[in-house]
Amino acid sequence: MFSVTVRDHMMIAHSFRGEVFGPAQQLHGATFLVDATFRRAELDADGIVVDIARASDELKAIVGQFNLHNLDDDPTLAGVNTTTEVLAKVIADRLAERATAGDLGEGGRELAGITVTLHESHIAWASYERSL
């Protein structure tokens, strides 16, 4: 399996519901490095997994919807605890929609899967992996 990874970052504000989150139930900020890995079994006719520039642009566009925003105010995330794991899935699903729509080029339609990893710090991160 071949893979290509592109990276961006975002700074968000949010709060959580539930005793398990302790002080994080209050509004707080987080900064994430966001890695998106695109996979396919065979390279396309040009010898690539996906156009890196297009993949980077699409990740930037999706991350830009959250960057410098309070996620508690985002209607698409209403009622959801926007944990690192949940955000990884949301970003992966949005990238998958763009891939199948052709926004990553024709090669994007032939991807086998996407993994999104959000790095909270140098010692903690979460990922969501999905098939296409």
Side-chain angles (χ1 to χ4, degrees):
M1 188 68 66
F2 294 94
S3 66
V4 165
T5 302
V6 296
R7 175 173 278 180
D8 209 314
H9 73 280
M10 64 182 179
M11 296 178 282
I12 57 99
H14 63 165
S15 61
F16 296 127
R17 289 175 317 285
E19 295 282 329
V20 70
F21 295 106
Q25 293 175 83
Q26 302 301 313
L27 185 64
H28 63 280
T31 300
F32 297 104
L33 282 177
V34 183
D35 291 334
T37 301
F38 302 88
R39 293 182 322 282
R40 64 188 290 163
E42 300 296 329
L43 299 176
D44 71 8
D46 296 311
I48 61 175
V49 172
V50 68
D51 182 320
I52 290 176
R54 282 180 136 175
S56 184
D57 288 347
E58 294 302 326
L59 178 61
K60 185 175 199 64
I62 291 167
V63 167
Q65 296 169 354
F66 304 125
N67 191 40
L68 302 176
H69 288 89
N70 180 347
L71 301 186
D72 295 348
D73 297 335
D74 186 326
T76 68
L77 301 171
V80 176
N81 269 338
T82 52
T83 62
T84 306
E85 297 89 337
V86 166
L87 292 174
K89 182 181 186 314
V90 167
I91 293 169
D93 289 345
R94 292 182 185 188
L95 281 170
E97 289 170 7
R98 291 177 184 222
T100 57
D103 295 337
L104 298 175
E106 284 306 309
R109 296 179 196 264
E110 298 173 17
L111 291 169
I114 294 173
T115 301
V116 171
T117 302
L118 272 66
H119 302 264
E120 286 193 68
S121 73
H122 65 289
I123 59 169
W125 56 89
S127 299
Y128 179 75
E129 182 176 345
R130 61 163 292 159
S131 299
L132 294 179

